[in-house]
Amino acid sequence: MNEELKVLISYYKDEESLIESLIKEDVIDQDHQAIHLHSLVLNKIQRKINFLEKLTNPNAAKLEAVKNRLEYLNKLSNKNNAFNYHEEISKQIDHQLDLLNSFTTGYFNDGQEFDDAVFDLAENRIESFIFNLNKSRDLSLKFTKTGHEILVLLSNFKKLKKEYILDIDKRNILKLIGFREDKQMNALILTYDLAGFRDAIPLKQIISRVIFDVFNFQNLDNQTTLQIFK
């Protein structure tokens, strides 16, 4: 799910840029209250970005520090004659970068199986599929199609609510994402319109937000699984 994670990071970085631009406008307007409120939002977004980047690579902070050091060294080498020394140090830093960039995490995969399942569902080759988040606790997202829409169901709502897996805070975030309670189906349901459907990225973003915004990557299976129903 590394691809989904990158989509979510990109989403938050877009939000980060937006809030930063609003703060600049607040400074021009000398609106101190707005500066304070937007700064709080910005800090929250940046914490999320840092958290997600650590999930993709726990060495993210070290990687950034090494990159900054290399950039500083390159600037320094242009200002004096100690080229050979700086070149040797640069090689050492490049090696560090290679090591840090080589990290891979076991939980995330390339998401191709999920992509295939979404396309098969959209083109009526399968009836539905389930994306298990915590199989032993019946925590999953079911994807099914009705007409020109894909329904994403977080089933067993009453059970998950009773077991405090879905507390009020988590339910509120799910509502912000777009889920609505259906008492008859005992589920939280999100409707995704297939008009203009081209790829699975929007649905991946939904899953990513459920995993990271709602559950904060806690109490989930180490390896997600798909169950496909034809």
Side-chain angles (χ1 to χ4, degrees), residues 139-164:
L139 177 60
S140 64
L141 294 171
K142 181 178 181 180
F143 293 75
T144 186
K145 184 184 176 187
T146 175
H148 296 287
E149 296 175 332
I150 286 181
L151 301 182
V152 185
L153 294 86
L154 203 163
S155 303
N156 305 306
F157 176 63
K158 291 181 180 178
K159 175 179 179 291
L160 296 173
K161 183 178 175 181
K162 186 176 181 180
E163 294 177 356
Y164 299 102

Side-chain angles (χ1 to χ4, degrees), residues 83-143:
F83 179 76
N84 291 335
Y85 170 76
H86 290 135
E87 184 180 30
E88 181 60 32
I89 297 298
S90 293
K91 288 180 181 178
Q92 294 177 21
I93 294 176
D94 282 336
H95 178 63
Q96 285 183 277
L97 286 173
D98 289 339
L99 291 176
L100 292 171
N101 277 316
S102 66
F103 174 85
T104 56
T105 175
Y107 179 85
F108 300 103
N109 53 58
D110 62 7
Q112 187 58 49
E113 186 180 5
F114 180 83
D115 283 14
D116 293 342
V118 170
F119 275 96
D120 286 344
L121 181 62
E123 296 174 8
N124 300 312
R125 289 195 290 265
I126 61 174
E127 288 189 3
S128 63
F129 69 91
I130 292 176
F131 186 88
N132 291 302
L133 299 174
N134 188 322
K135 196 170 183 179
S136 64
R137 304 188 76 171
D138 296 322
L139 177 60
S140 64
L141 294 171
K142 181 178 181 180
F143 293 75

